């Protein structure tokens, strides 16, 4: 059984009048997945690229990080379809095995990367527009639904029909809700048919299904939400692409865990979302920070902060030349592998030399900072100092991340938005010697 239990709800001014546990307040909980995973919330998921947490081999992920769950997109694996069968489908085992995911880490499967790049072609009744590594194409809904059985994720996210415009018209809104409902029913039907149809009489474990909440006001998705309420027994969670719509969730669904799939804004955004009752966070900002050569260093604690003090940076740009001879760790007192074994000068040298180790070491450290941050949030709710911790954090740290000054690792088209006329993302690695610009080489 996939279950979620709210353990404690933070008492705040807003929540003091709320009777529903966790409807609009920070809360701790425990998510149990049928395949034996247990997760304390609030907590984070690490986004993956083609099934890999960027820069980390599976053994590094297991040994040197506290990542408990990863967010994997099907669109990352199916560029050969429909002309050829993608290797993922000819491989004789599960997706977990295909990407060598450590046994202790659970897998969340989504149709699209997060944040998803907008496709030029709109979705249709039977297809979702996706972007694979070789371009845009359609993903038939039935293919995603049948892939679930074969790939055996621990959590599967329902497909939302999200319009390409920020404020869709009345007809489009109606279509969004109807398609999302129909696609969710197809997914639930397949998942539960699988459970009931096990031949050996033993019920097969089913993945936890998280239903998408549309980025629309409550009134505009009223019928869809009431459909979710009718099916609440079959749902194990809710997934949001925008934090602005957490409050549309009706009371009957308040006991389900809420996953925020696009968390690019950093720790202040996380705190805002935790404060509104979100439980799980796909932390895209960590990868973006690591790629920029930036080391995070923030903590969530009960320390008192004076009002007059200058705010601290959330992170440090490791490309800065002042670190060239700095033999101190990234963060004094950090227990991660990077901080125990290496110093700033070495990491900066690796960045300058475009040595991949730089990003490996930064990713290990940055994930550890985020792990401690979520640990602090849970502790604050448990011990009753959440509000104090949150306001202290806001007073203590600047709201923006510093901007990286160096080049990141090589970028790929399917990871970044581009519009016509953009400069190339990657500097050319080689130039012709007789092109007349030898002086620059
Ligand atoms: Zn560290």
């Amino acid at each position: 059984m996939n279950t979620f239990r709210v353990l404690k709800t933070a008492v705040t001014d807003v929540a003091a009048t709320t009777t529903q546990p966790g409807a609009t307040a920070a809360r701790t909980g425990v998510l149990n997945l049928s395949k034996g995973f247990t997760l304390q919330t609030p907590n984070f998921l690490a986004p993956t690229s083609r099934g890999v947490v960027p820069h980390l081999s599976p053994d590094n992920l297991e040994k040197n990080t506290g990542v408990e769950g990863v967010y994997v997109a099907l669109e990352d694996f199916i560029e050969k379809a429909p002309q050829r069968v993608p290797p993922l489908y000819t491989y004789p085992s599960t997706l977990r095995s295909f990407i060598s995911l450590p046994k202790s880490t659970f897998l969340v499967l989504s149709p699209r990367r997060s944040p998803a790049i907008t496709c030029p072609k709109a979705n249709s009744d039977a297809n979702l527009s996706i972007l694979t590594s070789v371009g845009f194409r359609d993903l038939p809904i039935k293919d995603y639904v049948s892939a679930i059985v074969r790939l055996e994720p621990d959590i599967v996210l329902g497909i939302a029909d999200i319009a390409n415009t920020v404020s869709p018209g009345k007809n489009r809104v109606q279509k969004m809700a109807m398609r999302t409902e129909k696609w969710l029913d197809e997914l639930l039907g397949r998942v539960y048919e699988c459970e009931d149809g096990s031949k050996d009489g033993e019920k097969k474990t089913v993945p936890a299904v998280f239903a998408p909440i549309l980025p629309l006001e409550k009134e505009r998705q009223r019928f869809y939400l009431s459909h979710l309420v009718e099916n609440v027994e079959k749902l194990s969670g809710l997934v949001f692409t925008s934090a602005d719509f957490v409050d549309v969730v009706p009371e009957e669904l308040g006991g389900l865990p809420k996953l925020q799939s696009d968390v690019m804004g950093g720790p202040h955004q996380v705190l805002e979302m935790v404060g509104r009752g979100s439980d799980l966070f796909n932390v895209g900002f960590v990868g973006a920070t690591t790629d920029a050569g930036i080391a995070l260093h923030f903590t969530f604690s009960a320390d008192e902060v004076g009002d007059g003090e200058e705010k601290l940076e959330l992170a440090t740009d490791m490309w800065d030349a002042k670190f060239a001879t700095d033999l101190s760790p990234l963060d004094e007192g950090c227990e991660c592998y990077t901080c125990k074994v290496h110093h700033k000068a070495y990491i900066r040298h690796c960045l300058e030399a475009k040595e991949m180790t730089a990003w490996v070491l930064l990713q290990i450290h940055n994930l550890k900072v985020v792990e401690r941050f979520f640990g602090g949030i849970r502790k604050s709710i448990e011990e009753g100092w959440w509000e104090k911790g949150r306001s202290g954090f806001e007073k203590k740290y600047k709201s923006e991340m510093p901007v990286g000054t160096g080049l990141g690792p090589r970028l790929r088209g399917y990871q970044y938005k581009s519009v016509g006329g953009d400069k190339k993302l990657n500097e050319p690695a080689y130039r012709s010697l007789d092109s007349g610009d030898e002086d620059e080489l």
Side-chain angles (χ1 to χ4, degrees):
M1 273 284 280
N2 300 295
T3 59
F4 178 71
R5 195 156 49 89
V6 176
L7 296 177
K8 190 164 179 187
T9 302
V11 179
T12 64
D13 296 343
V14 185
T17 52
T18 310
T19 48
Q20 178 64 24
T24 56
R27 61 189 191 176
T28 54
V30 57
L31 176 66
N32 284 301
L33 297 175
S34 55
K35 291 187 187 161
F37 298 98
T38 300
L39 184 75
Q40 304 293 325
T41 64
N43 218 322
F44 70 101
L45 302 173
T48 60
S49 183
R50 291 189 164 235
V52 174
V53 175
H55 314 297
L56 298 183
S57 59
D59 59 335
N60 254 333
L61 182 72
E62 187 172 25
K63 262 192 250 162
N64 295 318
T65 77
V67 170
E68 294 184 71
V70 292
Y71 189 99
V72 180
L74 187 63
E75 71 179 354
D76 274 357
F77 298 92
I78 50 176
E79 68 278 359
K80 292 186 191 300
Q83 289 79 11
R84 287 163 61 192
V85 179
L88 176 71
Y89 294 146
T90 53
Y91 182 72
S93 188
T94 59
L95 176 56
R96 153 181 300 283
S97 161
F98 188 76
I99 62 175
S100 302
L101 192 68
K103 282 196 176 70
S104 54
T105 314
F106 67 88
L107 191 159
V108 180
L109 183 71
S110 162
R112 303 218 53 198
R113 296 171 71 91
S114 189
I117 289 176
T118 308
C119 300
K121 192 176 154 220
N123 302 328
S124 65
D125 286 347
N127 295 302
L128 180 75
S129 273
I130 59 168
L131 173 62
T132 70
S133 61
V134 295
F136 297 103
R137 55 160 284 219
D138 286 338
L139 168 65
I141 306 301
K142 65 174 175 40
D143 284 9
Y144 180 66
V145 169
S146 55
I148 305 306
V149 181
R150 175 169 186 83
L151 303 180
E152 296 187 26
D154 303 299
I155 296 178
V156 56
L157 304 186
I159 311 170
D161 177 33
I162 295 176
N164 286 354
T165 54
V166 183
S167 49
K170 197 176 162 198
N171 288 346
R172 185 67 185 93
V173 164
Q174 225 169 30
K175 210 183 269 177
M176 281 169 79
M178 281 174 62
R179 278 184 189 157
T180 306
E181 181 176 321
K182 183 171 162 278
W183 296 348
L184 180 67
D185 285 350
E186 279 177 41
L187 183 65
L188 287 172
R190 189 76 180 100
V191 163
Y192 283 94
E193 172 191 296
C194 215
E195 184 188 48
D196 297 339
S198 318
K199 289 190 184 105
D200 46 15
E202 216 176 278
K203 283 213 164 188
K204 210 176 160 186
T205 52
V206 297
V209 178
F210 278 38
I213 298 292
L214 294 164
L216 297 170
E217 287 122 45
K218 194 170 191 168
E219 194 47 36
R220 302 184 91 189
Q221 54 180 320
R222 186 159 49 96
F223 292 112
Y224 173 63
L225 292 172
S226 58
H227 183 72
L228 296 186
V229 172
E230 281 163 27
N231 287 282
V232 66
E233 294 296 317
K234 292 181 177 173
L235 301 176
S236 302
L238 303 171
V239 53
F240 299 77
T241 49
S242 166
D244 295 340
F245 298 94
V246 173
D247 307 334
V248 307
V249 175
E251 217 174 290
E252 296 90 328
L253 303 176
L256 293 174
K258 302 188 192 88
L259 162 63
Q260 294 288 348
S261 65
D262 295 350
V263 187
M264 298 302 289
H268 290 285
Q269 188 192 18
V270 170
L271 294 180
E272 146 88 23
M273 293 172 172
V274 169
R276 290 167 71 178
S278 293
D279 307 286
L280 270 169
F281 302 83
N282 184 36
V283 288
F285 73 88
V286 179
T289 309
T290 299
D291 286 354
I294 289 174
L296 298 173
H297 52 71
F298 51 81
T299 50
F300 192 82
S301 65
D303 299 344
E304 291 285 356
V305 184
D307 276 342
E309 285 174 36
E310 197 182 331
K311 288 193 176 185
L312 301 175
E313 295 283 358
L314 290 163
T316 309
D317 175 17
M318 291 312 299
W319 289 89
D320 195 323
K322 73 180 177 199
F323 299 122
T325 53
D326 189 333
L327 303 185
S328 64
L330 287 179
D331 204 350
E332 293 287 353
C334 177
E335 291 280 293
C336 82
Y337 167 81
T338 306
C339 292
K340 279 193 294 193
V341 178
H342 298 287
H343 48 61
K344 289 182 185 131
Y346 177 65
I347 292 163
R348 183 181 180 271
H349 163 73
C350 290
L351 283 171
E352 279 286 325
K354 310 283 189 313
E355 168 56 57
M356 287 188 293
T357 309
W359 288 283
V360 175
L361 295 175
L362 281 169
Q363 186 76 316
I364 288 172
H365 168 75
N366 286 344
L367 285 168
K368 182 58 79 177
V369 171
V370 169
E371 182 193 333
R372 278 199 304 262
F373 176 66
F374 277 95
I377 293 174
R378 289 194 299 274
K379 197 162 175 235
S380 77
I381 300 169
E382 289 299 333
E383 295 177 357
W385 50 270
W386 152 255
E387 277 298 330
K388 188 178 153 205
R390 184 183 171 180
S391 66
F393 193 91
E394 271 156 25
K395 281 185 202 151
K396 191 171 171 187
Y397 294 102
K398 292 187 178 171
S399 54
E400 300 292 328
M401 290 276 182
V403 179
T405 52
L407 288 175
R410 199 165 173 78
L411 306 176
R412 293 169 209 285
Y414 60 89
Q415 294 170 318
Y416 291 87
K417 286 182 186 180
S418 72
V419 289
D422 274 2
K423 271 175 59 182
K424 284 202 167 159
L425 293 171
N426 301 301
E427 292 282 315
Y430 300 100
R431 269 182 255 170
S432 166
L433 280 174
D434 55 10
S435 65
D437 55 6
E438 286 92 335
D439 288 350
E440 294 174 20
L441 293 174

